[in-house]
Amino acid sequence: MPVITNINDLKRIHRRRVPKMFYDYAESGSWTEQTFRENTSDFDQIRLRQRVAVDMSGRSTATQMIGQDVAMPVALAPVGLTGMQHADGEMKAARAAEAFGVPFTLSTMSINSIEDVASATNKPFWFQLYTMRDQDYVSRLIERARAAKCSALVITLDLQILGQRHKDIKNGLSAPPKLTPSTIANLMTKWRWGIEMLQTKNRSFGNIVGHVDNISDAADLSSWTTEQFDPTLDWGKIAKIKEQWGGKVILKGILDAEDAKMALKVGADAIIVSNHGGRQLDGAISSIRALPAILDAVGDQIEVHMDSGIRSGQDVLKAMAMGAKGTYIGRAFIYGLGAMGQAGVTRALEVIHKEMDTTMALCGETKVTDLGRHNLLVPKGFEGDWQD
Ligand SMILES: Cc1cc2nc3c(=O)[nH]c(=O)nc-3n(C[C@H](O)[C@H](O)[C@H](O)COP(=O)(O)O)c2cc1C
């Protein structure tokens, strides 16, 4: 077993073990990938204030996200096709999150269904909703999430139309993979992945196949999804979904202070400052750069979370010190899952926790809830000095 000391170690193993089309699917941003790259490089611009001779015993990373206790402010983000990175990946990642004491968010576009994940866990998880044209289907999804006792609905707002990721088109991305000469050649080098995949029957979109009329195979499905995302989604529709759900609602994909104010008006419990990990609007600013203006606009009235670009516990700490009340990791846990299944997700969470805890100590802080801008050195003009 290789020694894993950081998230990049997991990424290297993920690349070796997972078929190319799924590694590429995770490791892509849209178009030029500028936003994808800046999500991580902008974190590097922020420096930490080292403080000494402060009693650093009795440290705690525990806090709450939307009123729920978390061992650290790091939830697993909704990631489509997680069950293609590793057999039954959603069930395994959800179990790892539950054992660690952090929330797991199941994507609408998952391989394991809502019911599969409910059967694999004991505590409530969160469900991420994509809104579709088929209102009945959306209503049924919401009812299924309720029946599974999901404790929050995360409504994603930044993917009514799909950002183009070149590699997915070139690789012919599908779930399960279509057998062409090049995919077969690649799959033959990924025997461990293949053996595990043969042991599960979950190899297609579990929340959709069998729940929508006339969908029985994957080819149908990909055209169905591109046609089905609802381009008319607006704040009025979001309010209606919120009403139907009746529980906690988190709005994901906010990058602009004006939209954050709308989210507040609609009565969301939290927002996620996110650009979908750089997979949607290429050329948008990084989430960590967008965060301060959004906090200034609504931070005292609504819980503000963030994701996109987090690869370490130091990144989590920077976001929290900036004023976020929680963060999410997408690729960081996917690398772990692809590398080593459930144990890999646990390892990713352990790595991030240790990095956060050690950094907190070296910054002279003992509680994650005490972090603030006093812990950071933020370059002048970090937020961007844009023309009106
Ligand atoms: C492979 C992949 C698939 C994703 N699928 C979804 C999805 O189905 N629903 C969703 O709301 N966000 C999805 N996202 C976005 C993540 O929830 C999250 O916003 C993003 O991964 C954060 O950036 P990071 O990967 O740099 O941590 C996906 C991200 C990746 C990398």
Side-chain angles (χ1 to χ4, degrees), residues 39 154-159 233 235 238 250-266 268 270-277 284-295 297-298 302-308:
N39 276 337
V154 176
I155 309 174
T156 298
L157 305 181
D158 59 1
L159 198 145
L233 179 69
W235 292 103
I238 295 165
I250 303 173
L251 296 182
K252 177 171 186 282
I254 305 285
L255 210 59
D256 194 283
E258 293 310 311
D259 288 337
K261 287 180 200 158
M262 293 303 291
L264 182 65
K265 225 186 243 172
V266 103
I271 55 172
I272 311 177
V273 175
S274 171
N275 54 35
H276 217 101
I285 61 168
S286 66
S287 290
I288 190 66
R289 265 179 147 202
L291 184 61
I294 291 177
L295 284 166
V298 299
I302 190 171
E303 215 171 293
V304 177
H305 302 167
M306 75 83 64
D307 77 14
S308 299

Side-chain angles (χ1 to χ4, degrees), residues 182-216:
S182 75
T183 56
I184 292 169
N186 184 248
L187 286 176
M188 280 165 65
T189 67
K190 313 288 178 186
W191 54 270
R192 194 192 306 253
W193 178 93
I195 289 170
E196 275 160 358
M197 210 47 91
L198 286 173
Q199 290 167 30
T200 176
K201 51 182 187 355
N202 303 315
R203 295 196 285 268
S204 191
F205 294 92
N207 290 327
I208 299 173
V209 174
H211 296 276
V212 180
D213 293 342
N214 308 323
I215 297 285
S216 52

